[in-house]
Amino acid sequence: MNKTFISDSKGYYGQYGGAYIPEMLRENVESLRAVYYDIIESEEFKKEFSMLLTDYAGRPSPLFFAGRLSNKYGAKIYLKREDLNHTGSHKINNTIGQILLAKKMGKKRIIAETGAGQHGAATATVCALMGMECVVYMGELDMARQEPNVKRMEMLGASVVPATCGNKTLKDATNEALRDWICNPENTFYIIGSVVGPHPYPDLVTKFQSVISEELLSQLMAKEGTEDPDYIIACVGGGSNAAGIFYKYIDRKKVKLIGVEAAGKGVETDETAATITVGETGIIHGSKTLLMQNEDGQITEPYSISAGLDYPGVGPLHAWLAGTGRASYLNATDNEALDAAYELTRLEGIIPALESAHALAALGKLKLKPADIVVVNISGRGDKDMQAYANANR
Ligand SMILES: *Cc1c(COP(=O)(O)O)cnc(C)c1O
């Protein structure tokens, strides 16, 4: 493993990362940190993980040459089809990994937080598969906004517990999940849904998602005779699908890595979720990273049309990649994302998730040349976003 681009032993990526947690959580986090590496690097774990990714999630996800989209932008554009995974996004890669780890640690009960319900549904899915008890914390407001996902989780056997404090959204659900974990340290494993939270979660989730770039190396070699594209583009909420498709390329300097954040109504407005563009260093959910805050250091409410990108922080790996200049971070507004979603749908017959549409919107912002090989990560499918697409009426 190349130590130059993963976190150090305390979970720092440069100045970002670490584990800034209340004393009451220290033992839970420490007991996970002490064992995770040896477990996930063991041959037995790797075999089981790989079997489930193949036979249950449906991996490898195809790498598709998008011919009509390529014509439009004047470059060779490939789509990494995470939308074809079981449950419809890349999130299943991580939940399979974490539930296997929970089992090996002898845990019997799983908790998770969810915003739009995508991570909650992916967690409820693997809990059903493994016969484990599942409790998902979700803001009361989000439960009302995302009812189909609440129903999905309940059908899968999970209890969905409303978070009724604060804004009744993701941040409040996360606080409830942490409180539960403090009260149930012995039997409970907390499955976090992105490359965020205290060390070791960012490292853990990045490693589980790195299967995306692992596959890309050989898929691109088979199609183009090289492992290295010119550009890799992925949307960034917390940053897990981007971390996964960047991972194997971080030390291949000639591959340009492009993350795309949600600008919402525009980065110059208050209604945005473009953390790297407008955020400053602070601490959120146990990690030192860039986050959206006011002059007093209070975390501000993010906004995006896309629920999966609507997070006020970003994983410490991305704060570091942005700071060192190894990756570039662009942003796309709600309207640009909607246009890009309609464009992909009409040109290729693929309805992307609204999150993934932000990555596609970056195609028009790059100066592409005909020989350029571009890979866009299609992190998920658009079924869940049909209402927003219908309202947009393009
Ligand atoms: C949750 C989600 C995202 C955002 O999460 P990351 O951790 O930034 O990848 C992106 N796309 C889809 C389809 C999602 O469900």
Side-chain angles (χ1 to χ4, degrees), residues 187-315:
N187 69 344
T188 298
F189 189 98
Y190 180 16
I191 296 188
I192 290 185
S194 189
V195 288
V196 301
H199 178 60
Y201 281 102
D203 185 45
L204 194 59
V205 178
T206 299
K207 289 208 172 84
F208 291 148
Q209 292 293 0
S210 70
V211 63
I212 304 173
S213 48
E214 180 75 53
E215 290 171 1
L216 181 56
L217 290 168
S218 55
Q219 289 174 320
L220 209 56
M221 177 55 91
K223 290 184 195 302
E224 289 286 343
T226 174
E227 291 178 337
D228 296 341
D230 295 281
Y231 294 89
I232 296 177
I233 308 175
C235 66
V236 176
S240 67
N241 84 89
I245 198 164
F246 289 175
Y247 188 76
K248 294 281 174 183
Y249 290 96
I250 292 174
D251 62 351
R252 296 175 178 227
K253 298 281 158 60
K254 68 183 191 10
V255 180
K256 297 180 197 73
L257 307 176
I258 313 280
V260 187
E261 297 191 297
K265 304 245 164 92
V267 291
E268 68 290 346
T269 72
D270 287 338
E271 292 177 281
T272 183
T275 307
I276 291 176
T277 309
V278 305
E280 284 175 65
T281 304
I283 288 164
I284 181 170
H285 299 144
S287 178
K288 187 181 203 186
T289 186
L290 293 170
L291 60 107
M292 289 169 43
Q293 49 191 307
N294 64 20
E295 303 87 63
D296 301 328
Q298 294 294 321
I299 296 167
T300 55
E301 273 295 302
Y303 163 81
S304 164
I305 191 174
S306 149
L309 303 182
D310 198 348
Y311 180 68
V314 66

Side-chain angles (χ1 to χ4, degrees), residues 126-195:
V126 295
C127 286
L129 174 69
M130 297 291 177
M132 299 251 250
E133 186 188 345
C134 182
V135 179
V136 178
Y137 290 94
M138 189 168 184
E140 199 170 38
L141 187 66
D142 288 337
M143 282 179 74
R145 289 194 292 200
Q146 310 285 341
E147 211 196 317
N149 268 335
V150 176
K151 292 277 178 291
R152 259 168 98 192
M153 290 184 270
E154 287 173 349
M155 181 167 176
L156 288 158
S159 328
V160 183
V161 180
T164 55
C165 294
N167 294 307
K168 305 179 173 125
T169 59
L170 179 60
K171 188 151 49 72
D172 315 292
T174 304
N175 290 336
E176 292 297 323
L178 287 170
R179 204 164 300 158
D180 180 313
W181 203 25
I182 290 170
C183 297
N184 301 285
E186 288 301 319
N187 69 344
T188 298
F189 189 98
Y190 180 16
I191 296 188
I192 290 185
S194 189
V195 288

Side-chain angles (χ1 to χ4, degrees), residues 336-348 350 352 357 360 386 388-394:
E336 289 171 329
L338 288 167
D339 287 342
Y342 268 82
E343 180 177 82
L344 182 73
T345 303
R346 303 261 162 95
L347 287 177
E348 303 289 350
I350 296 169
L360 290 159
M386 279 320 300
Y389 289 149
N391 293 344
N393 197 18
R394 291 297 195 272

Side-chain angles (χ1 to χ4, degrees), residues 88-91 118-119 193-195 235-242 308-309 353 355-356 379-381 384:
S89 82
H90 67 292
K91 287 200 169 73
Q118 295 300 105
H119 171 59
S194 189
V195 288
C235 66
V236 176
S240 67
N241 84 89
L309 303 182
E355 291 84 2
S356 322
S379 55
R381 65 177 85 122
K384 67 185 178 58

